[in-house]
Amino acid sequence: MSQGDAFPTHVFDVLNVAPAPFPEPIGPGVRVVEKRPADGPITLMTIGASRLPIDSGDRVELAVEVMDGQQGAGLIALGIVVDDMVKNRRVPPIGAPWRNGTPFLNGTQISAILVAPSRRGTVFDEVRAADGSPVGHVRMLHMLTDAEASHAASRGWDSLVAAAGSRDALLDVTRTDAAAPAGPAGNSPVFLSKLHAEHPPRWVTYTGRDLQSVTGLESDAYMNDSANHEVWSVDSFVARFPFVAEFVRVARPGQTALFTDASGRYVIEPD
């Protein structure tokens, strides 16, 4: 088996069940097959995504698990990612949810896609040549609500699965949120000015990696002096200013909350 045969051979053999092809392609040279293993959910897999030109040189096929009758949702998710691979010449990152803001499946709350390791481990996720050398991967897509994506972005895929109760709880695309949203983890950094020793936060921004807070009293000259800044943990920040806790819990990357008092009420500033 040559390296060129490794991907179609892997897709054909994995899960120990023959694939059933869908009639229409979802991208240039990219087909989709359905596999119905006896010990798990229906799995859709691409054949041909690994041949798309990717700037990094990475080679991947895609997969998504679906409930019977919801194969159309899986095809849409695969098509979205293949389209991104074609347009941007990149493979989807692991553990970083793509969040659309609005549902991409009509009549559902599904608005995000996350790549995370499959339930079957490396025997499914890794593609190897006949001599055992690695040649690429299968990336498992998970279709999520925005609240679930928020949780995964902050706490990770394993935390989301634990909060949902199981991987299977994240399969039905007609579900309501299987987990509550979660902002930054408690040990994430908060970058703030020393004026917080005397004044409460007014604007708090979640960047997706950290929080940034200002009181509104800082001048440009003050902010430009690094000696006027401190780094706290999220836990310490919330303990000192408990009224920000609700925003921190549900914040989406890029959002800035405006607080006008200590009631906990806030408004999201426009981008």
Side-chain angles (χ1 to χ4, degrees):
M1 178 178 62
S2 68
Q3 286 197 1
D5 295 331
F7 283 91
T9 299
H10 181 84
V11 173
F12 190 92
D13 290 343
V14 75
L15 303 181
N16 299 313
V17 60
F22 285 84
E24 299 296 330
I26 61 170
V30 181
R31 312 291 298 203
V32 178
V33 300
E34 175 182 308
K35 308 198 83 171
R36 292 177 174 252
D39 60 346
I42 294 171
T43 303
L44 308 186
M45 302 182 71
T46 61
I47 296 180
S50 58
R51 295 195 297 267
L52 295 173
I54 302 298
D55 289 340
S56 66
D58 294 326
R59 301 177 65 196
V60 304
E61 296 292 350
L62 308 173
V64 62
E65 295 178 337
V66 298
M67 296 181 63
D68 200 6
Q70 296 182 357
Q71 287 89 334
L75 288 171
I76 290 173
L78 291 171
I80 288 171
V81 177
V82 165
D83 185 59
D84 183 74
M85 292 173 68
V86 171
K87 289 182 177 179
N88 297 305
R89 300 173 62 98
R90 63 187 179 187
V91 299
I94 297 175
W98 172 80
R99 298 168 73 177
N100 190 45
T102 57
F104 59 81
L105 298 179
N106 290 336
T108 79
Q109 296 182 28
I110 301 300
S111 62
I113 297 173
L114 171 69
V115 173
S118 76
R119 68 179 72 212
R120 301 177 185 277
T122 57
V123 67
F124 184 92
D125 298 347
E126 294 184 356
V127 180
R128 295 181 177 272
D131 61 3
S133 59
V135 296
H137 297 86
V138 176
R139 297 301 192 210
M140 180 64 74
L141 311 183
H142 304 273
M143 295 179 284
L144 305 178
T145 68
D146 192 71
E148 294 160 0
S150 168
H151 189 113
S154 173
R155 309 295 169 87
W157 167 248
D158 290 340
S159 176
L160 174 60
V161 172
S166 69
R167 288 174 177 261
D168 290 343
L170 297 166
L171 288 181
D172 186 355
V173 297
T174 66
R175 67 184 182 273
T176 55
D177 297 324
N187 61 354
S188 297
V190 182
F191 298 93
L192 71 169
S193 74
K194 291 184 177 180
L195 287 181
H196 286 74
E198 301 175 3
H199 302 281
R202 183 169 176 82
W203 284 281
V204 180
T205 299
Y206 178 39
T207 69
R209 299 176 302 276
D210 52 58
L211 291 177
Q212 298 175 3
S213 179
V214 294
T215 68
L217 301 174
E218 298 88 349
S219 66
D220 289 343
Y222 184 94
M223 292 297 289
N224 288 334
D225 186 346
S226 61
N228 293 327
H229 297 267
E230 294 182 328
V231 181
W232 297 3
S233 70
V234 166
D235 283 343
S236 298
F237 184 61
V238 172
R240 175 66 178 83
F241 303 108
F243 63 87
V244 305
E246 177 61 18
F247 170 70
V248 171
R249 185 179 72 84
V250 301
R252 290 183 54 187
Q255 285 186 328
T256 295
L258 168 63
F259 296 89
T260 57
D261 55 38
S263 67
R265 294 187 296 269
Y266 62 89
V267 295
I268 299 298
E269 292 280 85
D271 294 339

